[in-house]
């Protein structure tokens, strides 16, 4: 135990309330951080005289030696502390150094490859030796450092955050050659995290109001689709007729990796308000309070996945949410045998941005000639595009019944085209649509004014989508989409898309 942390710091946590315990735990963590700084050094701004390049060289001198892992890990730990306390510019310089100086050496690869090609296939022993050597030179030196860091306490979390910084650096880099080597660093780090975050290493945990305070706080903080208004709102979302599940990783304790919120309803709702209305119908009263044991299982016919969030930006490109949905679906259908309908109630990020781009190109992409005339009358202007951009820039228009009714058909039509027809490399352009379609869901229903909140209107003019999961067909749908780019959608969605197509063709 560190001489700066006494047993009293640990034992004092006993017999406390959850809030007091959380506060004490935070003080304990802060004390540990101070100890790490004392042991491995102060912030980078106060240690400018220490050269990061030299620190890296010193660590990499230990590669392929027989020196004790304790020494190597202590050096790596000090580097992690130095990196964590550095500002953005210094961090990016460290990443650039790693990516350029400790990447694969192309000359070595060419030499080993030539020796391998010149070896007679019959000389199996020599072939194996050269193949092993080739494998080694094809692995960058920083891969070794990442493995060392992964062994440290909180090392995996450090690498996840490191990849967040790498992804940010990629977006900042303008030079094409430098971009390539940073991309290579990103790919190796992603592949390593892909192995460590295999779904077999994750465990699913249900969150209730009785869960630890820090977990509840993180569930609230990470909610990006429907932000928590207050603690009472959070209590409702983890209470009866709701289910909240998270994925956790043993190397990142007390850190939710994916959070999935599910509503238990009698029908598939077509709006956020519809979820609350379903709960009221089941309870018979909006204010009635019950416990989990008092839930009426016979009335629960549908499970609605209304929010799923991957909390770690550094795990971008590593599919985990789809596995959580499958596990939660199995768990809920076991608990509630009457459930026959599984569906999402999903947002449509970037739809409004796409809509404005289309309006800028040609208003005829969105509105018919007749609708254009009506728009001019309602808005009382000849410049409909400018007026619409100004009006749709806020959520106030949703309270104008005449304008809202007029916009309903054109925007639903445009949204259907955007979801069903707009593609990137053969797959749905919208990332939420792509996620659910890859999982084998059906684009089931597009809902007008499903989320009239300022956030919902800002993203997608208040429109949301139900992606429905038919478990018996999910594998077939997923394969058709991934292998043949086929989007499985209902007639209602395709009819809307066809109406939009007629406008675009004209």
């Amino acid at each position: 135990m560190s001489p700066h942390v006494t047993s009293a710091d640990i034992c004092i946590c006993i017999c406390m309330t959850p809030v007091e315990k959380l506060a004490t735990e935070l003080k304990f963590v802060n004390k540990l951080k101070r100890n790490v700084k004392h042991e491995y050094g102060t912030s980078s701004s106060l240690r400018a005289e220490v050269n990061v390049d030299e620190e890296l060289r010193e660590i990499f001198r230990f590669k392929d030696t027989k020196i004790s892992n304790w020494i190597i890990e202590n050096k790596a730990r000090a580097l992690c502390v130095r990196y964590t306390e550095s500002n953005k510019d210094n961090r990016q310089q460290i990443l650039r150094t790693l990516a350029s100086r400790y990447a694969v050496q192309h000359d070595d690869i060419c030499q080993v490859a030539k020796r391998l090609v010149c070896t007679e296939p019959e000389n199996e022993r020599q072939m194996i030796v050269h193949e092993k050597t080739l494998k080694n030179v094809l692995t960058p030196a920083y891969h070794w450092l990442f493995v060392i860091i992964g062994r440290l306490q909180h090392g995996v979390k450090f690498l996840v955050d490191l990849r967040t910084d790498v992804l940010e650096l990629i977006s900042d880099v303008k030079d094409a050659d430098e971009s390539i080597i940073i991309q290579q660093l990103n790919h190796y780090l992603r592949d390593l995290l892909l192995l460590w975050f295999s779904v077999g290493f994750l465990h699913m945990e249900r969150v209730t109001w009785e869960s630890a305070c820090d977990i509840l706080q993180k569930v609230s903080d990470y909610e990006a689709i429907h932000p928590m208004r207050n603690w009472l709102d959070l209590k409702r979302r983890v209470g009866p007729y709701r289910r909240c599940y998270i994925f956790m990783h043993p190397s990142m304790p007390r850190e939710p990796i994916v959070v999935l919120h599910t509503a238990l309803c009698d029908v598939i709702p077509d709006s956020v308000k519809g979820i609350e209305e379903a709960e009221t119908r089941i309870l018979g009263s909006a204010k009635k309070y019950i416990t989990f044991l008092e839930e009426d299982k016979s009335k629960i016919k549908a499970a609605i996945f209304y929010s799923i969030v991957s909390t770690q930006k550094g795990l971008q490109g590593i599919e985990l949410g789809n596995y959580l949905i499958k596990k939660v679906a199995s768990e809920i259908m076991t608990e509630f045998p009457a459930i026959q309908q599984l569906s999402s109630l999903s947002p449509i990020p970037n739809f409004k941005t796409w809509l404005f781009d289309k309006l800028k190109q040609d208003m005829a992409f969105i509105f018919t000639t007749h609708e254009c005339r009506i728009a001019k009358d309602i808005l009382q202007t000849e410049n409909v595009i400018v007026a619409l951009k100004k009006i749709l820039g806020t959520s106030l228009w949703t309270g104008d019944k005449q304008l809202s009714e007029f916009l309903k058909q054109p925007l639903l039509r445009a949204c259907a085209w955007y979801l069903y027809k707009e593609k990137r490399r053969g797959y749905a352009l919208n990332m939420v649509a792509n996620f659910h379609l890859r999982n084998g869901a059906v684009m089931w229903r597009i809902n007008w004014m499903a989320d009239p909140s300022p956030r919902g209107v800002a993203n997608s003019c208040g429109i949301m989508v139900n992606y429905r999961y038919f478990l018996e067909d999910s594998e077939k749908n997923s394969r058709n989409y991934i292998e043949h780019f086929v989007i499985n959608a209902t007639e209602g969605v395709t009819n809307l898309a066809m109406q939009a197509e007629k406008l675009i063709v004209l």
Side-chain angles (χ1 to χ4, degrees):
M1 182 179 294
S2 169
H4 303 279
V5 182
T6 67
S7 58
D9 291 316
I10 301 173
C11 295
I12 200 171
C13 291
I14 300 174
C15 300
M16 287 184 173
T17 67
V19 174
E20 290 172 333
K21 187 174 180 181
L22 177 58
T24 304
E25 287 173 350
L26 291 174
K27 290 179 182 177
F28 181 73
V29 169
N30 288 332
K31 182 175 283 191
L32 287 178
K33 286 182 178 178
R34 290 195 297 271
N35 294 345
V36 170
K37 293 178 188 177
H38 174 78
E39 189 168 355
Y40 296 111
T42 56
S43 66
S44 58
S45 60
L46 298 177
R47 297 177 63 224
E49 71 278 3
V50 179
N51 194 312
V52 175
D53 288 352
E54 184 56 39
E55 287 188 39
L56 287 171
R57 286 194 195 98
E58 187 176 358
I59 292 174
F60 280 103
R61 286 193 198 106
F62 297 136
K63 188 175 182 291
D64 300 325
T65 66
K66 295 183 179 180
I67 197 165
S68 169
N69 280 340
W70 286 87
I71 296 174
I72 300 174
E73 289 174 5
N74 281 338
K75 294 289 184 182
R77 187 179 293 110
L79 178 67
C80 292
V81 172
R82 170 75 180 269
Y83 179 89
T84 302
E85 296 185 334
S86 297
N87 59 34
K88 178 180 176 180
D89 290 340
N90 290 339
R91 288 186 182 193
Q92 291 195 344
Q93 185 54 46
I94 294 172
L95 294 176
R96 285 184 165 98
T97 302
L98 275 175
S100 59
R101 191 167 297 167
Y102 300 100
V104 294
Q105 302 303 311
H106 301 298
D107 291 341
D108 294 345
I109 294 172
C110 291
Q111 291 176 15
V112 176
K114 287 177 183 177
R115 289 198 293 268
L116 178 61
V117 171
C118 293
T119 303
E120 294 293 332
E122 292 79 13
N123 191 345
E124 188 172 350
R125 181 186 295 272
Q126 197 62 39
M127 287 284 288
I128 292 174
V129 170
H130 290 323
E131 287 168 356
K132 183 179 179 181
T133 305
L134 182 61
K135 178 184 176 183
N136 290 337
V137 297
L138 282 170
T139 304
Y142 50 65
H143 181 272
W144 169 81
L145 176 61
F146 294 156
V147 172
I148 295 295
I149 293 174
R151 296 174 187 166
L152 305 177
Q153 186 177 17
H154 307 304
V156 172
K157 171 61 174 169
F158 174 85
L159 290 175
V160 171
D161 293 339
L162 183 77
R163 183 163 181 253
T164 302
D165 293 343
V166 172
L167 292 171
E168 185 177 355
L169 177 58
I170 289 172
S171 64
D172 291 345
V173 168
K174 305 302 180 185
D175 182 75
D177 292 336
E178 186 180 21
S179 178
I180 290 173
I181 63 172
I182 301 297
Q183 287 281 6
Q184 187 182 38
L185 174 68
N186 174 50
H187 292 155
Y188 273 98
L189 189 51
R190 181 200 61 195
D191 290 346
L192 191 61
L193 293 174
L194 184 62
L195 289 175
W196 290 348
F197 282 85
S198 169
V199 69
F201 296 142
L202 304 177
H203 69 271
M204 186 176 75
E205 183 177 316
R206 180 177 165 189
V207 178
T208 68
W209 190 241
E210 283 70 41
S211 297
C213 293
D214 59 327
I215 298 295
L216 285 168
Q217 183 65 58
K218 287 176 180 177
V219 166
S220 175
D221 291 342
Y222 285 137
E223 178 53 44
I225 300 173
H226 307 290
M228 308 284 181
R229 295 187 292 272
N230 48 45
W231 281 97
L232 288 177
D233 188 18
L234 173 61
K235 185 176 183 180
R236 189 180 80 252
R237 296 197 204 186
V238 297
Y241 294 106
R242 303 288 182 98
R243 292 295 183 270
C244 177
Y245 286 94
I246 59 177
F247 258 159
M248 303 279 276
H249 191 281
S251 294
M252 290 175 59
R254 315 196 71 75
E255 185 64 56
I257 306 298
V258 187
V259 182
L260 174 63
H261 288 277
T262 306
L264 305 174
C265 303
D266 52 348
V267 297
I268 298 177
D270 59 3
S271 66
V272 175
K273 186 179 180 181
I275 293 176
E276 298 174 359
E277 291 172 346
E279 187 174 329
T280 301
R281 285 195 300 272
I282 293 172
L283 287 172
S285 170
K287 297 182 179 180
K288 185 178 179 181
Y289 177 78
I290 64 167
T291 66
F292 289 113
L293 295 176
E294 297 173 301
E295 290 173 331
D296 190 341
K297 295 186 177 183
S298 65
K299 294 182 179 179
I300 298 172
K301 308 292 185 182
I304 311 303
F305 311 123
Y306 66 91
S307 175
I308 182 165
V309 179
S310 294
T311 66
Q312 308 296 311
K313 292 182 180 178
L315 295 179
Q316 180 181 311
I318 300 174
E319 293 186 1
L320 299 174
N322 55 341
Y323 293 104
L324 183 57
I325 284 180
K326 290 173 184 175
K327 288 179 73 71
V328 168
S330 176
E331 185 85 7
I332 287 179
M333 294 182 77
T334 299
E335 185 180 3
F336 300 97
I339 287 181
Q340 297 179 341
Q341 299 173 315
L342 299 172
S343 175
S344 77
L345 181 61
S346 301
I348 314 169
N350 300 321
F351 167 64
K352 195 164 81 169
T353 302
W354 173 89
L355 178 68
F356 282 175
D357 286 342
K358 289 296 179 184
L359 283 172
K360 186 177 180 180
Q361 293 174 30
D362 191 342
M363 190 173 170
F365 286 157
I366 308 299
F367 297 100
T368 65
T369 305
H370 178 63
E371 288 168 344
C372 286
R373 286 197 295 268
I374 296 176
K376 290 177 182 179
D377 291 339
I378 293 175
L379 300 174
Q380 297 182 345
T381 179
E382 289 295 317
N383 198 336
V384 175
I385 296 176
V386 173
L388 275 176
K389 283 187 176 182
K390 184 177 180 181
I391 290 170
L392 295 177
T394 72
S395 60
L396 297 177
W397 64 271
T398 60
D400 186 327
K401 187 175 180 181
Q402 182 188 24
L403 182 58
S404 179
E405 283 299 317
F406 163 70
L407 290 174
K408 179 178 180 179
Q409 194 61 25
L411 293 191
L412 283 177
R413 197 169 56 217
C415 187
W417 174 269
Y418 170 68
L419 292 171
Y420 187 67
K421 288 290 189 177
E422 290 288 339
K423 304 288 183 68
R424 180 176 181 269
R425 297 176 182 174
Y427 299 114
L429 177 64
N430 182 263
M431 60 182 181
V432 176
N434 184 55
F435 170 80
H436 286 290
L437 293 170
R438 291 180 74 90
N439 292 347
V442 174
M443 195 178 288
W444 192 62
R445 184 174 62 194
I446 301 176
N447 306 301
W448 178 249
M449 283 296 115
D451 183 8
S453 70
R455 190 185 188 90
V457 174
N459 281 333
S460 56
C461 302
I463 305 172
M464 299 186 79
V465 191
N466 294 119
Y467 296 99
R468 184 140 175 214
Y469 285 83
F470 299 92
L471 296 184
E472 64 276 11
D473 297 326
S474 291
E475 183 179 351
K476 179 185 69 176
N477 294 341
S478 177
R479 290 191 61 181
N480 279 338
Y481 179 69
I482 294 172
E483 297 175 12
H484 307 294
F485 312 113
V486 175
I487 293 179
N488 196 338
T490 60
E491 188 176 348
V493 174
T494 57
N495 284 344
L496 282 171
M498 287 173 64
Q499 292 173 29
E501 186 173 21
K502 291 177 182 178
L503 289 180
I504 293 174
V505 171
L506 292 175

